[in-house]
Amino acid sequence: MGFQPKLKKGLYFLSIHLYSFIMINTYSESQLHNTLKNLYAEASQGLTEQQVAGKICDIVAKDGSIIEIQTGSLSKLHGKLGLLLPHHKVKVVYPLVVRKTIETRKKDGTLVSCRKSPKKQCLLDMFSELTALFPYLLEENFVLEVLEVSVVEHRIKEDAPVQLANKSRRFKRDWYKEGKSLEEIYATHQFASAEDYLELLPQELPETFTIKEASTVLKGRNVPRMLWVLRKMGLVEQVGKQGRRLLLKKKDTTD
């Protein structure tokens, strides 16, 4: 992608990496969330499902900090973060699926198929979830921890095409998802400062650049959204125009 993100290493992350192979065999919809919650609770010597400021938090670590595991939309945390951050350190853990295996079984457990999904995420895809959280990303008490993971998506084969309970399918299909389970954690990225986010912009970018130029270098579909978030955070600023395109520049964080 044109950059080398920092990986946080040590016994803490090694324990998570090794322990992630243990808890992958039940198929509830919240299995991915529950597995990560248990991993982080054990690593932080914390307690799960604790009430803080009127909200139920995934984990309260031994040191009193809060850990929230979010496998769905990060925008759902907006209100909770507004309540917690003024008085508590909060780490939000968000898994990005860089590799997915789709396993389909009959209702009796017979394996029908097992294949690799062509869909995969990259680190820049996290910005599609950060548009609602940009006011908190540089808060002193806030840390975003992004995991690159592989998962198994479990599907149940039906005898005939079916609609989902929430009526979300445009076309009926002969299967439904039963959940996702964690297979492996490949890498962990922490974002706690302006420098952590700005490191995602490669050195080969010129001092001033357009969104198109950044997209060409980074080769990521979410580059425009990333730059939108960085502008909202005050880390990238508009300094002019090049024709009809905005001309952008990284902010000097040493100011």
Side-chain angles (χ1 to χ4, degrees), residues 38-252:
N38 288 326
L39 294 177
Y40 275 82
E42 178 161 308
S44 66
Q45 300 180 48
L47 299 175
T48 62
E49 304 301 319
Q50 300 296 298
Q51 185 168 336
V52 181
K55 297 290 185 179
I56 300 298
C57 298
D58 285 332
I59 303 164
V60 175
K62 185 179 181 180
D63 64 5
S65 63
I66 294 168
I67 303 174
E68 285 291 315
I69 311 296
Q70 191 67 10
T71 57
S73 173
L74 288 178
S75 63
K76 295 178 180 180
L77 292 176
H78 188 279
K80 182 183 283 190
L81 290 175
L83 290 172
L84 296 176
L85 284 173
H87 308 290
H88 304 275
K89 292 186 179 297
V90 180
K91 176 188 290 184
V92 172
V93 178
Y94 181 65
L96 282 172
V97 179
V98 298
R99 183 177 179 179
K100 180 167 69 175
T101 300
I102 299 174
E103 187 178 274
T104 305
R105 294 181 180 271
K106 295 181 180 180
K107 291 181 179 180
D108 64 4
T110 303
L111 182 65
V112 175
S113 65
C114 185
R115 63 182 177 86
K116 298 296 182 184
S117 171
K119 296 181 180 179
K120 56 184 67 176
Q121 295 179 298
C122 69
L123 191 57
L124 296 189
D125 288 333
M126 71 180 185
F127 285 97
S128 65
E129 291 293 334
L130 295 182
T131 54
L133 297 190
F134 69 83
Y136 304 121
L137 298 180
L138 295 181
E139 287 279 341
E140 183 180 2
N141 283 338
F142 181 82
V143 175
L144 174 65
E145 191 155 286
V146 180
L147 310 179
E148 294 185 44
V149 304
S150 63
V151 302
V152 179
E153 179 178 288
H154 304 283
R155 296 180 179 180
I156 298 299
K157 184 82 164 58
E158 290 280 5
D159 295 329
V162 296
Q163 179 58 274
L164 299 180
N166 61 6
K167 309 294 184 182
S168 61
R169 279 183 171 169
R170 184 177 179 184
F171 302 104
K172 293 182 180 180
R173 300 184 180 184
D174 62 351
W175 55 266
Y176 62 89
K177 296 179 185 178
E178 197 175 35
K180 294 178 183 177
S181 59
L182 180 65
E183 191 172 46
E184 187 173 353
I185 298 174
Y186 297 123
T188 304
H189 310 268
Q190 273 197 4
F191 298 90
S193 67
E195 290 76 14
D196 292 333
Y197 289 94
L198 287 175
E199 282 185 357
L200 296 175
L201 295 176
Q203 294 295 323
E204 54 264 41
L205 269 181
E207 183 178 0
T208 60
F209 56 90
T210 64
I211 295 174
K212 183 178 180 180
E213 288 172 334
S215 298
T216 299
V217 174
L218 286 166
K219 299 179 181 178
R221 63 187 176 188
N222 270 310
V223 173
R225 193 159 293 176
M226 175 186 73
L227 293 174
W228 184 91
V229 172
L230 294 182
R231 287 178 67 193
K232 288 291 186 179
M233 294 169 66
L235 302 182
V236 169
E237 58 183 344
Q238 180 184 345
V239 293
K241 282 194 170 183
Q242 189 178 85
R244 299 177 62 180
R245 296 190 177 103
L246 300 181
L247 200 58
L248 306 176
K249 181 181 179 181
K250 288 194 295 183
K251 180 182 178 181
D252 186 354

